[in-house]
Amino acid sequence: MMGRQGVVSMAGLLVLFALASTRTTMATDYTVGDSMGWTGPPNITEGFYNDWAAGKTFEGGDSLKFVWNGSHNVAIVSKEDYENCTKVSSYFIGGSAFTYTLPSNASGMYYFICTVDSHCEGGQKLAINVTSSEPSTTDDGSSAPLLAIGALSSAVLPAGVLLLHLLN
Ligand SMILES: [Cu+2]
């Protein structure tokens, strides 16, 4: 009887482990600057967007929606271009909104600036720190630990059952 319970609870643990490893994290949609949108001076001051980003957790799959009125654009740039407000040649413009979805495997710093006039120098720049999300279930390697534990438990289980019989 004791041995049977041991097997059942071990199986239960494996089921729990499988459920935990297939848990999906929900992507979050952010509107950059919230109601202020994506704008330049005099509406915002230097550091405005990093204050907005402070305390938020960004993960791969999250999206950043830039919404603006008037003449602005969004350039995704390097750290150096962010710091120097480089007027890079590649940016998104057109319409009055742009949504950037962080790659699912994103991690580390991502930098966004507006290259119109001196908007970037005036604070229309955003740096976010993307934390890598939980090990993705779509990765090839993700099922390996589960298989390894399965193999381990089938090797350990007879010994556990034997021990319970000895205790009886
Ligand atoms: Cu601008």
Side-chain angles (χ1 to χ4, degrees), residues 16-59:
L16 283 177
F17 185 86
L19 285 174
S21 65
T22 55
R23 184 173 63 88
T24 53
T25 50
M26 294 292 292
T28 307
D29 298 332
Y30 294 101
T31 299
V32 175
D34 294 322
S35 60
M36 187 65 83
W38 181 239
T39 186
N43 298 326
I44 50 110
T45 55
E46 205 174 333
F48 174 84
Y49 289 104
N50 292 343
D51 287 345
W52 171 83
K56 293 182 173 64
T57 303
F58 300 95
E59 292 188 334

Side-chain angles (χ1 to χ4, degrees), residues 2-167:
M2 287 288 284
R4 194 174 170 80
Q5 281 177 347
V7 171
V8 169
S9 62
M10 188 69 90
L13 277 177
L14 283 177
V15 169
L16 283 177
F17 185 86
L19 285 174
S21 65
T22 55
R23 184 173 63 88
T24 53
T25 50
M26 294 292 292
T28 307
D29 298 332
Y30 294 101
T31 299
V32 175
D34 294 322
S35 60
M36 187 65 83
W38 181 239
T39 186
N43 298 326
I44 50 110
T45 55
E46 205 174 333
F48 174 84
Y49 289 104
N50 292 343
D51 287 345
W52 171 83
K56 293 182 173 64
T57 303
F58 300 95
E59 292 188 334
D62 290 353
S63 65
L64 297 165
K65 188 177 187 182
F66 298 80
V67 184
W68 64 87
N69 295 310
S71 183
H72 298 291
N73 64 30
V74 181
I76 303 165
V77 297
S78 66
K79 180 177 194 233
E80 189 182 0
D81 289 339
Y82 167 86
E83 288 172 347
N84 297 328
C85 287
T86 309
K87 295 200 181 300
V88 295
S89 57
S90 177
Y91 50 78
F92 183 88
I93 193 167
S96 56
F98 168 67
T99 299
Y100 179 71
T101 301
L102 293 163
S104 59
N105 62 349
S107 75
M109 298 301 295
Y110 278 73
Y111 301 95
F112 306 86
I113 64 173
C114 173
T115 67
V116 174
D117 297 337
S118 57
H119 294 185
C120 176
E121 287 85 347
Q124 194 174 12
K125 60 198 298 192
L126 169 68
I128 61 168
N129 189 6
V130 181
T131 52
S132 60
S133 43
E134 306 276 311
S136 171
T137 54
T138 55
D139 287 349
D140 290 342
S142 66
S143 58
L146 186 60
L147 287 174
I149 287 191
L152 183 70
S153 69
S154 62
V156 166
L157 220 49
V161 171
L162 183 64
L163 184 65
L164 285 166
H165 278 301
L166 288 174
L167 287 172

